[in-house]
């Protein structure tokens, strides 16, 4: 099934909703209120209790979800989302299989709340995640194991110990906020994992004080649905509702560019550094990073004054790519690049906007190597892609 969007047609999001959920619809409508971005359309499937006892997972049988998806397809929605977090304890692969079946039967791209949270973590380079959960301890422990399998080291705030799905929405906002704060120390982000917990406002309010992203399941599902519904035109930002809806789509696209560059060049690490205050980005921390397996991340390493590096100063003067097969080349970088980052060969490409070097892309190798024409062409393509994303973001911000 193929649908189109345009100036007279807002994105239509089809949401499969747990029958006892009273939170996600008003929160989603509130996030979209006052915009012309999208409309949300809901079908319910029976879910009343979250537990690990025998038979409880029957609520998440794909058959009712597929039937609901087919009905929503009649409304010519642009994307379908299982707006529930069951994949967090039943396993993300179960959600991936569900999405594949929905798309196979309807022709419409599909996602889930759990897959949205995992993609949000990938967009922000999160490997240490704090969890704020309403569930019983055994469900919470299962979620920790599932997320660990996805490469996330999780810190668990004390869960509320509730199994009645309808009751999750009656948890006081102040208690949700305290749980988020308890999950925050020492992590890269916190996730409120449940689409029937009113966590969106608490997440938005706490982010500035905590200094890290707080991903609410309802907000993340909307974010992911918008991304899937507009893969070519770019996701319109929804400012005022937290960093994910403001900057997450741009960060995710940066990640895609860097992964492609890593795969094409066979490098060990690719990074993007940008001075982009509107999105909370500065060059001393990377805006995005892609890594070969076993390579150490430098995403949150601010130990080097980036603009004082010899190589970056050279970029600032020359405004052309720098290709270094080894570090005997001129200009010679500080020994810190070898000592801190393990780099023995690199390529750098400046990002120049309004006659200012806003940032640069780096391609790192742990060994000396001769960069090929294919490698330098890939770097040029990545630079063009990032410039295009920045142009698109600027136009969207000005609209």
């Amino acid at each position: 099934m193929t649908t189109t969007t345009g100036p007279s047609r807002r994105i239509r999001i089809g949401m499969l909703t747990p029958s006892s959920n009273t939170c996600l619809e008003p929160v989603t409508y509130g996030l979209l209120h006052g915009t012309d971005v999208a409309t949300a359309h809901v079908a319910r499937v029976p879910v009343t209790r979250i537990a690990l006892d025998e038979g409880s997972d029957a609520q998440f049988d794909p058959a009712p979800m597929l039937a609901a998806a087919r009905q929503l397809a009649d409304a010519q929605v642009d994307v379908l989302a299982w707006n529930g977090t069951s994949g967090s304890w039943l396993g993300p692969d179960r959600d991936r299989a569900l999405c594949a079946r929905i798309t196979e039967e309807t022709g419409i791209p599909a996602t889930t709340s759990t897959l949205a949270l995992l993609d949000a973590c990938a967009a922000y380079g999160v490997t240490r995640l704090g969890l704020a959960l309403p569930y019983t301890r055994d469900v919470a422990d299962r979620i920790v194991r599932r997320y660990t399998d996805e490469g996330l080291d999780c810190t668990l705030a004390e869960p509320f110990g509730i199994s009645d799905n309808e009751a999750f929405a009656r948890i006081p906002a102040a208690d949700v906020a305290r749980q988020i704060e308890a999950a925050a120390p020492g992590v890269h982000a916190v996730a409120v994992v449940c689409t029937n917990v009113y966590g969106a406002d608490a997440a938005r309010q706490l982010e500035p004080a905590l200094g890290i992203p707080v991903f609410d399941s309802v907000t993340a599902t909307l974010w992911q649905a918008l991304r899937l519904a507009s893969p070519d035109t770019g996701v319109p930002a929804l400012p005022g509702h937290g960093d994910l809806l403001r900057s997450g789509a741009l960060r995710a696209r940066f990640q895609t560019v860097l992964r492609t560059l890593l795969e094409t060049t066979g490098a060990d690490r690719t990074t993007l550094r940008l001075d982009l205050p509107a999105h909370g980005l500065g060059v001393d921390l990377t805006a995005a990073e892609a890594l070969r397996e076993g390579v150490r991340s430098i995403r949150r390493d601010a130990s080097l004054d980036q603009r004082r590096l010899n190589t970056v100063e050279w970029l600032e003067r020359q405004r052309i790519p720098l290709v270094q097969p080894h570090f005997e080349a001129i200009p010679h970088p500080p020994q810190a690049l070898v000592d801190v980052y393990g780099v023995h060969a690199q390529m750098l490409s400046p990002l120049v906007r309004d006659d200012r070097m806003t940032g640069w892309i780096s391609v790192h190798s742990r060994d000396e190597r001769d960069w090929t024409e294919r490698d330098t062409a890939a770097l040029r393509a990545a630079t063009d892609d990032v410039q295009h994303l920045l142009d698109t973001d600027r136009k969207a911000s000005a609209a």
Side-chain angles (χ1 to χ4, degrees):
M1 178 178 181
T2 302
T3 61
T4 59
T5 61
S8 61
R9 164 95 148 70
R10 287 182 288 179
I11 294 168
R12 295 177 186 171
I13 302 171
M15 292 185 171
L16 313 176
T17 305
S19 58
S20 53
N21 189 304
T22 59
C23 167
L24 72 86
E25 289 162 288
V27 170
T28 299
Y29 299 148
L31 293 170
L32 292 172
H33 179 71
T35 76
D36 290 324
V37 171
T39 56
H41 309 274
V42 175
R44 290 180 175 260
V45 295
V47 176
T48 59
R49 183 170 176 270
I50 306 304
L52 299 184
D53 52 18
E54 185 176 355
S56 62
D57 62 346
Q59 299 173 106
F60 306 107
D61 184 273
M65 297 186 186
L66 290 167
R70 288 191 291 269
Q71 290 178 336
L72 284 168
D74 292 342
Q76 296 188 26
V77 296
D78 301 293
V79 61
L80 288 159
W82 162 231
N83 211 326
T85 53
S86 56
S88 293
W89 62 88
L90 297 178
D93 282 345
R94 183 160 173 156
D95 276 10
R96 294 179 181 113
L98 171 66
C99 291
R101 288 195 62 183
I102 288 173
T103 301
E104 180 182 0
E105 293 202 14
T106 66
I108 299 170
T111 190
T112 74
S113 300
T114 295
L115 298 182
L117 287 171
L118 293 175
D119 278 0
C121 288
Y124 285 79
V126 173
T127 57
R128 297 201 304 270
L129 180 66
L131 294 176
L133 311 174
Y135 310 116
T136 54
R137 169 61 73 165
D138 57 344
V139 174
D141 289 342
R142 178 73 62 82
I143 291 172
V144 169
R145 290 198 295 273
R146 295 295 194 188
Y147 282 22
T148 298
D149 291 342
E150 295 293 318
L152 295 170
D153 181 13
C154 294
T155 297
L156 177 64
E158 184 62 32
F160 289 115
I162 303 171
S163 59
D164 177 16
N165 194 71
E166 186 276 335
F168 298 151
R170 291 187 272 116
I171 299 172
D175 292 347
V176 176
R178 281 192 290 270
Q179 192 186 48
I180 291 171
E181 290 173 324
V187 300
H188 302 148
V190 174
V192 180
V193 182
C194 180
T195 61
N196 203 26
V197 167
Y198 279 88
D201 279 346
R204 173 184 57 81
Q205 293 170 9
L206 286 171
E207 276 187 337
L210 296 176
I212 56 175
V214 182
F215 303 137
D216 167 68
S217 293
V218 177
T219 302
T221 307
L222 174 61
W223 169 74
Q224 182 81 315
L226 291 171
R227 289 181 63 216
L228 288 177
S230 51
D232 299 321
T233 58
V235 180
L238 297 177
H241 299 296
D243 199 74
L244 184 63
L245 284 176
R246 181 179 65 249
S247 304
L250 185 63
R251 288 174 181 261
R253 287 182 170 233
F254 288 157
Q255 284 295 128
T256 298
V257 171
L258 289 192
R259 281 196 299 269
T260 300
L261 180 59
L262 186 81
E263 292 165 3
T264 304
T265 60
D268 293 307
R269 181 193 294 119
T270 56
T271 65
L272 168 65
R273 296 180 184 273
L274 277 173
D275 277 325
L276 202 61
H279 292 284
L281 296 172
V283 296
D284 284 335
L285 293 175
T286 66
E289 177 188 66
L291 300 170
R292 187 73 51 203
E293 185 176 354
V295 176
R296 182 178 72 85
S297 172
I298 59 172
R299 183 152 193 156
R300 291 173 173 82
D301 186 339
S303 60
L304 299 181
D305 184 347
Q306 291 294 321
R307 288 199 179 269
R308 296 292 298 275
L309 297 178
N310 290 356
T311 46
V312 175
E313 291 178 341
W314 186 92
L315 279 185
E316 181 69 74
R317 292 191 302 270
Q318 302 297 327
R319 305 292 180 91
I320 60 174
L322 169 64
V323 178
Q324 293 181 299
H326 52 79
F327 279 173
E328 294 176 2
I330 301 296
H332 189 75
Q335 183 64 28
L337 275 180
V338 178
D339 297 339
V340 178
Y341 294 166
V343 178
H344 287 85
Q346 66 176 352
M347 297 189 294
L348 304 176
S349 181
L351 294 160
V352 179
R353 303 181 63 76
D354 301 327
D355 200 35
R356 177 176 177 269
M357 194 176 82
T358 306
W360 59 93
I361 298 173
S362 304
V363 183
H364 292 163
S365 172
R366 293 184 294 181
D367 300 308
E368 295 184 0
R369 61 175 283 177
D370 291 322
W371 301 104
T372 67
E373 174 55 35
R374 183 171 183 263
D375 297 331
T376 56
L379 180 58
R380 288 193 299 271
T383 303
D384 290 343
D385 287 343
V386 171
Q387 294 280 28
H388 173 71
L389 292 174
L390 293 173
D391 288 341
T392 302
D393 179 71
R394 176 183 286 179
K395 291 175 184 176
S397 298

